[in-house]
Amino acid sequence: MKAPSLIPAGKRHLLYRALLLAVIVVLCWRLDSVFTQSPITHDARQNLRAGFNLNVWGVFSIEEPAAGEPSPDNYREPVVPAAAALFMRLHPAFSPNMDFEQAAGGSLCRQVKRVNIAWALLVLLGAAALAVELTRSTLAACLSCVLIWLVFLRNPEHADTLCTEIPTAAVMLWASLLLVISVRAGRVRLFLPAGALYGVLCLTKAVFLYLAPLAVLIVFFCCAPAARLKSVRAFACCAVFTAGIAVAAGPWMLRNYMQFGTSTLAQRGGTVLYGRMLRDTMTMDEAVSALYLWGPGAYKKLVKNSSLDRAPADFEEGGRGARLNRSSDSGFALMDEAAERAGRPEDAISFHSRSRAERARVIRRFASQGHANPELAADGYLKREARQWIVRHPVRHTLMSLLFAWRGMWCFYGGGLFTALNALCAAAFLGLAAYGPCAGRPRITAFIALPFLMLSFNAFFSHNLSRYSAPAIPHVLLSLCVLVCLFTQRFTRIDNTATRCRP
């Protein structure tokens, strides 16, 4: 006979939740040690510049004017720059007349990166809430938070900068949580905040705007099978969800349309799609080289001394995989940079530099023709060129998408055991993605939907750097917890209950 507990059940739940919260606070505190004085560069610098201009001038722009107010643009999504602007406005170390370079690489560089602590807190709280909602296990939530910190949040590539990976993960977790709760409760009005958070997700990562119709379709199929929901009500859930997206993302799209003549959330889609189209033309030898270059250390050890093995020289000029090498340390990096600046794609070696050089060439052509917005026109031109090529070569493009899915799969930070965990969690994620719809489990489908759509889109329409998959890491880790619950039949009981689950 089981001995009675000395602590009442209600108090145990409070104690477990207090311990979980303490773990989250400690992990966020530990994140501070990741931040350094290393300069904020590339895409992250553009986010910082947009936030700086928004804080100082009240203008959203990545322009770095020599003097005066910058011109507005829509080159980047607004959420991350807006959060940085709010952080700079509230932080006592930042003054309205500070120099931008102080934040980008000077004395205030480490300070501005601390905005990621707030985003990390949202990630961990969202992951914990989603784990408890799906598994009723505080232990699973605590373990998930620790693993998320180890393989994602502490990665300097995401934390020690101002990119969008951690913010996207945070918003996607909370949007998924609201979707799961809405599907479980079956209340139409709950889909409004779920849609609004999806709209914020679009403003964080513009790819989700293209995926919105598929997200609405998933909402319909999640709602329609439920016994207490008729198809008419499922349509109502979709309509309310769509209204939420419009409420959140609509004002920004209207702003872009009124100022630039386009309702797109960001301008970079054409260059990315064109670059992916170029990579679709790689040879079989280059595809094997890509498997090696983009694979984890375990794969490289496995294929050592075989026909799948590659040497560093293979990725230098004249090598079998030279066109795949976008590293600034390559022997032809300076040559590629010069080709980009000159707008001469024929002089570039890497696929990456060829696409950027082509963009520069097209921008100059539109500027010489007196076009009002040559950057926007160039983006549209590159997008059309890439789409036409993909339509003409659908089979090749689809097969190459498997290779790019391989590239994006290996996104966990660290090697060894973390590589094995990466593979195990990816298998669990794919298993749930198939099991949820096929087994008629709407909550599993709602949980997996957003990251699955994002990962599929990235594999199919981009060059899919591993960091593009990073926002899905919390979901991928949680998938393993959910799958364990399914095997133990615990999730079956939770999924069939109509009342809110308790941890």
Side-chain angles (χ1 to χ4, degrees):
M1 182 176 177
K2 188 177 179 180
S5 174
L6 297 177
I7 304 176
K11 289 187 177 180
R12 283 205 308 274
H13 290 319
L14 289 175
L15 178 61
Y16 293 156
R17 289 179 180 180
L19 289 173
L20 175 59
L21 186 60
V23 168
I24 290 173
V25 169
V26 169
L27 292 175
C28 288
W29 174 71
R30 287 288 300 151
L31 189 65
D32 190 67
S33 62
V34 177
F35 306 137
T36 67
Q37 285 292 124
S38 61
I40 298 173
T41 59
H42 304 303
D43 291 354
R45 182 183 175 92
Q46 293 176 350
N47 284 328
L48 177 60
R49 186 75 219 195
F52 179 86
N53 288 341
L54 194 59
N55 179 44
V56 174
W57 303 100
V59 175
F60 188 90
S61 172
I62 66 167
E63 184 182 347
E64 301 188 18
E69 183 175 316
S71 302
D73 62 39
N74 66 331
Y75 191 76
R76 301 207 69 86
E77 301 90 339
V79 167
V80 173
L86 179 62
F87 182 79
M88 287 186 280
R89 178 64 58 90
L90 298 177
H91 199 292
F94 297 91
S95 62
N97 20 348
M98 70 172 184
D99 182 62
F100 171 73
E101 294 302 331
Q102 285 182 281
S107 58
L108 296 176
C109 179
R110 190 171 185 272
Q111 293 290 342
V112 78
K113 293 174 183 176
R114 283 179 168 154
V115 69
N116 285 328
I117 293 178
W119 286 118
L121 177 63
L122 288 175
V123 167
L124 294 175
L125 288 174
L130 197 51
V132 169
E133 169 68 23
L134 292 169
T135 69
R136 294 205 316 184
S137 171
T138 307
L139 177 61
C142 187
L143 180 61
S144 298
C145 287
V146 173
L147 289 175
I148 288 168
W149 189 88
L150 287 172
V151 303
F152 176 42
L153 294 178
R154 73 185 179 105
N155 186 348
E157 185 181 3
H158 309 314
D160 195 32
T161 184
L162 230 60
C163 284
T164 60
E165 283 71 39
I166 295 178
T168 302
V171 181
M172 187 160 58
L173 281 165
W174 285 97
S176 297
L177 177 63
L178 280 183
L179 265 181
V180 171
I181 293 173
S182 302
V183 167
R184 174 174 56 78
R187 296 176 183 173
V188 175
R189 65 176 180 270
L190 290 179
F191 285 92
L192 184 65
L197 260 183
Y198 187 91
V200 175
L201 188 57
C202 294
L203 298 176
T204 311
K205 207 75 167 175
V207 62
F208 284 98
L209 183 64
Y210 304 110
L211 296 169
L214 291 176
V216 173
L217 193 62
I218 288 172
V219 167
F220 177 82
F221 283 111
C222 284
C223 295
R228 61 185 177 278
L229 287 176
K230 298 179 181 180
S231 294
V232 173
R233 201 166 182 193
F235 278 112
C237 292
C238 293
V240 172
F241 183 78
T242 304
I245 298 175
V247 166
W252 186 256
M253 296 173 69
L254 182 62
R255 173 256 189 192
N256 290 343
Y257 182 78
M258 293 178 65
Q259 293 200 15
F260 312 112
T262 176
S263 58
T264 54
L265 296 179
Q267 276 185 27
R268 306 177 316 281
T271 308
V272 172
L273 190 60
Y274 187 84
R276 169 55 194 274
M277 179 268 289
L278 290 179
R279 289 168 174 86
D280 279 349
T281 65
M282 70 174 71
T283 64
M284 180 58 71
D285 217 12
E286 286 176 322
V288 173
S289 299
L291 280 173
Y292 181 88
L293 181 64
W294 300 338
Y299 172 81
K300 294 173 181 177
K301 291 179 182 177
L302 185 66
V303 301
K304 192 171 180 63
N305 298 323
S306 73
S307 60
L308 302 178
D309 193 12
R310 291 292 183 269
D314 290 318
F315 299 98
E316 292 297 334
E317 187 175 0
R320 291 180 286 182
R323 294 199 296 174
L324 299 166
N325 190 353
R326 55 177 286 173
S327 171
S328 58
D329 297 328
S330 71
F332 53 84
L334 293 178
M335 184 193 311
D336 273 7
E337 288 177 14
E340 290 178 26
R341 289 193 299 269
R344 293 179 57 84
E346 64 275 11
D347 292 342
I349 293 177
S350 68
F351 289 122
H352 178 70
S353 292
R354 280 186 61 193
S355 61
R356 292 169 67 94
E358 179 66 13
R359 180 177 184 270
R361 185 186 69 81
V362 176
I363 287 175
R364 291 181 183 180
R365 190 183 74 191
F366 279 112
S368 67
Q369 295 171 357
H371 199 283
N373 193 333
E375 290 84 2
L376 184 62
D379 193 72
Y381 171 83
L382 294 176
K383 194 177 296 184
R384 287 190 300 274
E385 288 288 305
R387 283 174 178 169
Q388 290 172 8
W389 188 94
I390 290 170
V391 168
R392 292 195 302 268
H393 305 86
V395 176
R396 183 179 184 85
H397 178 76
T398 302
L399 291 176
M400 292 301 295
S401 296
L402 298 175
L403 180 61
F404 286 93
W406 165 267
R407 183 184 198 181
M409 173 182 168
W410 305 107
C411 55
F412 281 24
Y413 181 61
L417 289 176
F418 292 132
T419 300
L421 180 65
N422 192 163
L424 186 62
C425 289
F429 180 83
L430 292 175
L432 284 184
Y435 175 78
C438 294
R441 293 294 184 89
R443 293 177 68 219
I444 295 180
T445 304
F447 158 67
I448 216 81
L450 302 186
F452 182 79
L453 289 176
M454 182 195 74
L455 294 174
S456 301
F457 184 94
N458 287 340
F460 208 76
F461 293 112
S462 78
H463 48 289
N464 206 20
L465 298 174
S466 60
R467 70 178 178 88
Y468 290 4
S469 302
I473 289 176
H475 280 84
V476 173
L477 276 166
L478 288 173
S479 297
L480 187 60
C481 296
V482 174
L483 196 63
V484 169
C485 288
L486 280 171
F487 278 128
T488 60
Q489 296 300 308
R490 188 175 183 182
F491 193 93
T492 304
R493 297 195 296 274
I494 299 169
D495 203 34
N496 291 332
T497 182
T499 58
R500 180 170 176 80
C501 306
R502 285 197 253 171

